[in-house]
Amino acid sequence: MTRKLDKIWEAYEYQNATGNKYFITIKLLLKRRKIKDALAEAEKGISFQYERGEELRALHFLGLKSIIQILQQDLNGANISFKQVEEIISKKGRVSTYYIISYFMGRLLFDLNLLEKAIHSETRVTISKQKKKAYASAKKALKTANKCSLDKTEALKLMGTFFWLINKQKKALKYWQDSIYVGKKIGSSVELSRTYFEVGKRLFEQKSTFDQLNKIKRKDYLLKARSAFQTMNLQQDLQELNRFADSGNIEL
């Protein structure tokens, strides 16, 4: 697709072809967790859209950039990206779902990150504050993802993670079950494999009162994830899974 878009740009100088090429490239690199390359492409995409006065289209790339920054644990950088998005939205007013889904997914990742840190630090006031923020972000992300199937598998997975973090395990399992169903239905192989890993990983936690989902054991979810990571050559995911298994003395 990116090669075709390059040819369209060369033949017709149609700027949306280049904009879409950047978007697809960033998504591909992000899905494969090639984080540094994804960030470099995001910066190029943002500059390209600003140079052409396409602020709305720049929202795509700023949202993706925030996700990349969160994965790098650059939360200050992600905050700056959020403010840039919010500034554009305040000027433009109502904005299409297509342009802001990445922003909402980034906000959800950001708030879940802070919620998990607050839980580990056992600071009650901070936990309560972050719980409200994360739930609001989760609802917005899922509502938006219902109109944009590309991110629905991940949004459902993250909603499940939110409920797991606040010890509502049955609700968490329900959303993970939905994530698996949607992932299979629309062929979202990468995020489906990450849902498998999330389920297996969480069910091995000490606080877990469950050891299976849909009559599939927690270890089998890790095996499903590992097989998918190997098939799709998702090396960073595979390394993370192996570290988790080693730290818990889980034989796979």
Side-chain angles (χ1 to χ4, degrees):
M1 287 175 72
T2 56
R3 283 193 292 270
K4 285 180 181 178
L5 288 165
D6 263 337
K7 288 178 181 177
I8 291 169
W9 167 255
E10 289 167 9
Y12 306 106
E13 294 189 4
Y14 178 53
Q15 70 180 43
N16 286 347
T18 298
N20 287 334
K21 184 200 79 167
Y22 278 124
F23 179 67
I24 293 166
T25 302
I26 297 161
K27 288 289 281 187
L28 177 62
L29 291 168
L30 182 55
K31 291 292 182 187
R32 296 188 65 80
R33 293 297 189 257
K34 293 182 179 292
I35 301 301
K36 288 183 180 178
D37 293 339
L39 183 59
E41 289 297 310
E43 297 285 12
K44 290 178 190 175
I46 292 165
S47 296
F48 178 82
Q49 298 296 7
Y50 273 130
E51 285 167 9
R52 283 152 183 78
E54 293 280 0
E55 281 188 317
L56 277 178
R57 292 183 179 276
L59 289 174
H60 264 322
F61 305 106
L62 286 166
L64 290 171
K65 181 181 175 182
S66 73
I67 293 170
I68 295 163
Q69 290 168 317
I70 293 161
L71 292 173
Q72 291 180 316
Q73 287 297 308
D74 179 12
L75 300 188
N76 289 331
N79 245 328
I80 292 169
S81 296
F82 292 149
K83 286 175 184 175
Q84 289 175 293
V85 170
E86 288 153 10
E87 185 179 331
I88 294 171
I89 292 172
S90 68
K91 285 194 293 183
K92 299 295 183 181
R94 189 173 179 179
V95 178
S96 167
T97 299
Y98 178 71
Y99 295 121
I100 56 173
I101 179 63
S102 296
Y103 163 69
F104 284 127
M105 293 298 292
R107 284 244 59 128
L108 174 52
L109 278 171
F110 183 87
D111 288 330
L112 282 178
N113 193 297
L114 292 184
L115 175 59
E116 192 152 20
K117 286 179 177 178
I119 290 168
H120 287 316
S121 69
E122 298 182 347
T123 310
R124 286 188 180 182
V125 175
T126 308
I127 291 171
S128 178
K129 180 182 173 184
Q130 285 307 134
K131 189 190 295 186
K132 290 176 184 176
K133 283 188 174 183
Y135 185 52
S137 294
K139 286 199 297 182
K140 281 184 183 178
L142 189 52
K143 183 179 178 181
T144 310
N146 281 330
K147 302 174 186 177
C148 185
S149 61
L150 186 65
D151 292 292
K152 191 170 181 180
T153 305
E154 185 177 9
L156 287 164
K157 179 194 77 175
L158 293 175
M159 180 64 99
T161 300
F162 166 75
F163 281 115
W164 185 267
L165 290 174
I166 64 170
N167 286 321
K168 293 189 177 180
Q169 295 186 9
K170 283 187 178 180
K171 276 195 173 183
L173 295 180
K174 185 259 182 193
Y175 279 104
W176 287 334
Q177 187 175 22
D178 289 347
S179 175
I180 290 167
Y181 172 78
V182 170
K184 287 178 177 178
K185 184 178 179 181
I186 67 175
S188 182
S189 303
V190 174
E191 292 310 326
L192 175 61
S193 66
R194 289 177 180 146
T195 299
Y196 288 150
F197 182 32
E198 184 73 0
V199 172
K201 179 173 66 175
R202 297 296 181 177
L203 292 183
F204 267 104
E205 287 184 359
Q206 190 173 359
K207 72 175 184 179
S208 178
T209 57
F210 298 89
D211 66 356
Q212 60 181 296
L213 173 63
N214 289 341
K215 297 181 180 179
I216 299 173
K217 295 286 188 181
R218 57 190 182 180
K219 181 176 176 179
D220 290 327
Y221 276 107
L222 294 180
L223 290 170
K224 278 174 172 284
R226 186 178 70 175
S227 176
F229 293 159
Q230 289 172 336
T231 299
M232 291 183 282
N233 195 27
L234 298 173
Q235 290 300 315
Q236 185 168 317
D237 293 273
L238 193 57
Q239 289 169 15
E240 187 181 343
L241 188 151
N242 288 335
R243 280 196 299 270
F244 171 77
D246 291 342
S247 67
N249 293 316
I250 302 165
E251 190 174 340
L252 297 178

